[in-house]
Coordinates of all heavy atoms in Angstrom, one line a residue:
E375 N 269.7 221.5 77.8 CA 269.9 220.1 78.4 C 268.8 219.6 79.3 O 269.0 219.1 80.4 CB 271.3 219.8 78.8 CG 272.4 220.3 77.9 CD 273.6 219.6 77.9 OE1 273.7 218.4 78.2 OE2 274.6 220.3 77.7
G376 N 267.6 220.1 79.0 CA 266.4 219.9 80.0 C 266.3 221.2 80.9 O 267.2 221.4 81.7
S377 N 265.3 222.0 80.5 CA 265.2 223.3 81.2 C 264.9 223.0 82.7 O 264.7 221.9 83.1 CB 264.1 224.0 80.6 OG 262.9 223.5 80.9
N378 N 264.9 224.1 83.5 CA 264.6 224.0 85.0 C 263.1 223.3 85.1 O 263.0 222.5 85.9 CB 264.5 225.4 85.5 CG 265.9 226.0 85.8 OD1 266.9 225.4 85.3 ND2 265.9 227.1 86.3
E379 N 262.3 223.7 84.3 CA 260.8 223.2 84.4 C 260.9 221.8 84.0 O 260.2 221.0 84.7 CB 260.0 224.0 83.5 CG 259.6 225.4 84.0 CD 260.7 226.4 83.6 OE1 261.8 226.0 82.9 OE2 260.6 227.5 84.1
V380 N 261.6 221.3 83.0 CA 261.7 219.9 82.6 C 262.3 219.1 83.7 O 261.7 218.0 84.1 CB 262.5 219.7 81.2 CG1 262.8 218.2 81.1 CG2 261.6 220.4 80.2
Q381 N 263.4 219.6 84.3 CA 264.0 218.9 85.5 C 263.1 218.7 86.7 O 263.0 217.7 87.3 CB 265.3 219.5 86.0 CG 266.3 219.8 84.8 CD 266.8 218.6 84.1 OE1 266.5 217.4 84.6 NE2 267.2 218.6 83.0
R382 N 262.3 219.8 86.9 CA 261.2 219.8 88.1 C 260.3 218.7 87.9 O 259.9 218.0 88.8 CB 260.7 221.2 88.2 CG 261.5 222.0 89.0 CD 260.7 223.1 89.9 NE 261.6 223.5 91.0 CZ 262.7 224.4 90.8 NH1 263.0 224.8 89.7 NH2 263.5 224.7 91.9
T383 N 259.9 218.7 86.6 CA 258.7 217.7 86.2 C 259.3 216.4 86.4 O 258.6 215.4 87.0 CB 258.3 217.9 84.7 OG1 258.0 219.4 84.6 CG2 257.1 217.1 84.4
L384 N 260.6 216.1 85.9 CA 261.2 214.8 86.1 C 261.2 214.4 87.6 O 260.9 213.2 87.9 CB 262.4 214.6 85.4 CG 262.5 214.8 83.9 CD1 263.9 215.0 83.3 CD2 261.9 213.5 83.3
I385 N 261.9 215.3 88.4 CA 262.0 214.9 89.7 C 260.8 214.7 90.4 O 260.6 213.7 91.3 CB 262.9 216.1 90.5 CG1 264.2 216.2 89.8 CG2 262.9 215.8 92.0 CD1 265.1 217.5 90.2
A386 N 259.7 215.6 90.1 CA 258.4 215.3 90.7 C 257.9 214.0 90.5 O 257.5 213.2 91.3 CB 257.4 216.4 90.2
E387 N 258.1 213.5 89.2 CA 257.6 212.2 88.8 C 258.4 211.0 89.6 O 257.8 210.0 89.9 CB 257.7 211.9 87.3 CG 256.6 212.9 86.6 CD 256.9 212.7 84.9 OE1 257.7 212.0 84.6 OE2 256.1 213.4 84.4
Y388 N 259.7 211.3 89.8 CA 260.4 210.2 90.6 C 260.0 210.4 92.0 O 259.7 209.2 92.7 CB 261.9 210.6 90.5 CG 262.6 210.2 89.2 CD1 263.3 211.1 88.4 CD2 262.4 208.8 88.7 CE1 263.8 210.7 87.2 CE2 263.1 208.4 87.6 CZ 263.7 209.5 86.8 OH 264.2 209.1 85.6
E389 N 259.8 211.5 92.7 CA 259.4 211.5 93.9 C 257.9 211.0 94.3 O 257.7 210.5 95.3 CB 259.5 213.1 94.4 CG 260.9 213.6 94.4 CD 262.0 212.8 95.2 OE1 261.8 212.4 96.3 OE2 263.0 212.5 94.6
L390 N 257.2 211.2 93.2 CA 255.8 210.7 93.5 C 255.5 209.4 93.0 O 254.5 208.9 92.9 CB 254.8 211.7 92.7 CG 254.8 213.2 93.3 CD1 254.1 214.1 92.3 CD2 254.0 213.2 94.6
G391 N 256.6 208.7 92.5 CA 256.5 207.3 92.1 C 255.8 207.2 90.7 O 255.4 206.0 90.4
I392 N 255.7 208.2 89.9 CA 255.1 208.2 88.7 C 256.0 207.6 87.6 O 255.8 206.9 86.7 CB 254.4 209.6 88.2 CG1 253.5 210.1 89.1 CG2 254.0 209.5 86.8 CD1 253.2 211.6 89.0
R393 N 257.4 208.0 87.9 CA 258.5 207.5 87.1 C 259.4 206.7 88.0 O 259.7 207.1 89.1 CB 259.2 208.7 86.5 CG 260.1 208.4 85.4 CD 260.8 209.7 85.0 NE 260.1 210.4 84.1 CZ 260.2 210.5 82.7 NH1 261.1 209.7 82.3 NH2 259.6 211.3 82.0

Side-chain angles (χ1 to χ4, degrees):
E375 307 206 39
S377 67
N378 289 359
E379 288 77 8
V380 167
Q381 303 305 339
R382 276 211 159 72
T383 307
L384 288 171
I385 296 166
E387 289 177 0
Y388 285 121
E389 297 307 310
L390 292 166
I392 299 166
R393 197 181 274 263

